Amino acid sequence: MEQKNISPVRYPALQSKDFRLFWLAQFVSNSGNQMQIVAVNWQVYLLTNSPIALGMIGLLRFLPIVIFSLIGGSFADSHNRKSIMAISQTILGTLSLILATTTFTNTITPTLIFIITFIASIAMSFDMPARQSFVPNLVDRKHLPNAMSLYAIMFQTASIAGPSLAGILIAKFDVGGIYVIDAASFAIVLTSLFFIKTPGDLHVGKTQVSLTAVKEGLQFVKSKPLIWSTMLLDFFSTFFSSATALLPIFAKDILRVGPQGLGLLYAAPSIGAVIAGFIMAHLGTIRRQGYMLLLAVSFYGLATALFGVSRIFWLSIVALMLVGAGDSVSVIIRNTIRQLSTPDYIRGRMVSVNMIFFLGGPQLGEFEAGMLAALMGAQMSVVTG
């Protein structure tokens, strides 16, 4: 009897029903979150006309991460991760409704936006360690690299859909509706958690939330040069090259393309990232990962400088697409290395340490970019970074 060759499944992580549910729900939620980022930055710039105010948004997203993320990581390793996500998503949805209500009633102020941004970042300090630590539980270990590539594709696709749609809606209906959509997206995540069968307390509960647990997480990262070196690389590259906070200035004053153009500028890096992510997912295991990582980060920096000097809209879009492509390759390699090198019992704390570098770099970089933009202009701020 002739034996048939069975071709391997190209995206094996999607064979897991729980991963598919989580992946789709996160796409909706991240799309809403990306819409909100565009709306908040645009609204703050309209209210203040100040690059420093835009930089403050980044600073207020960064500070809670430094203060609370290590505690959030300990929670993710000692409590049910699904429950942590349910609570944090509810808080984030409520904050979006407050932004919507105050916008519709014309009572919103920059100070209120700053306060809500700070509180939302606290919630994210607990949500992200639980969420990223939960992903490896949804697939077989051998399919984790594929899952991380697909997760990166999902995030970057949401970063295309969210800003693009936000730019159109802001131009037609102002920013209030964006906040309502974002609040609704969190309800999608809460619903998905109900239907996901994988328990949220898998391999957790042995660790107590304490200073000792936080110290254990820091010591683990310190003992793994492959982990902490990629974290440092991530932090410094995004700190100096972050241009996201200044996009409203480029859209309004330099390229003169308005809110619709702003949406495309926000979406452009993700278009490049999705293309690179699909290539990475299709290729599977990447050889010479260290070399590829350094090459990707260098590519990211050069493309950012090209964006900084451009005064042509289509060239700016291309430059940002190249930024996203370099960043996507770097993110996929780094995340795969970290997840495969970390046992589940301490994964939440590893993610929380990484949050300080992964989110702290671009958010603190936005503050740095805003300060430099106030001193030397937006374009020089990006180029010197």
Side-chain angles (χ1 to χ4, degrees), residues 168-245:
I168 295 171
L169 292 178
I170 291 172
K172 290 190 174 182
F173 306 111
D174 207 2
V175 297
I178 303 295
Y179 299 136
V180 174
I181 293 172
D182 186 44
S185 73
F186 292 116
I188 301 295
V189 177
L190 292 172
T191 304
S192 75
L193 292 175
F194 178 79
F195 287 102
I196 289 173
K197 302 301 181 185
T198 302
D201 54 1
L202 194 66
H203 305 309
V204 303
K206 297 179 181 179
T207 302
Q208 299 297 318
V209 179
S210 65
L211 187 60
T212 301
V214 171
K215 185 178 178 181
E216 184 184 8
L218 291 170
Q219 287 175 336
F220 171 79
V221 171
K222 184 181 177 182
S223 70
K224 301 287 186 180
L226 203 58
I227 293 179
W228 63 254
S229 61
T230 58
M231 289 181 180
L232 284 174
L233 180 66
D234 189 14
F235 177 83
F236 285 110
S237 63
T238 54
F239 174 76
F240 288 110
S241 294
S242 182
T244 306

Side-chain angles (χ1 to χ4, degrees), residues 18 22 80-82 85 128-139 193 196-202 339 344 347:
D18 282 355
F22 192 72
N80 189 295
R81 289 163 180 169
K82 288 168 71 173
M85 284 186 282
M128 186 171 286
R131 178 158 34 97
Q132 291 197 4
S133 300
F134 190 49
V135 172
N137 299 145
L138 301 174
V139 297
L193 292 175
I196 289 173
K197 302 301 181 185
T198 302
D201 54 1
L202 194 66
Q339 295 286 10
D344 193 69
R347 188 171 279 131

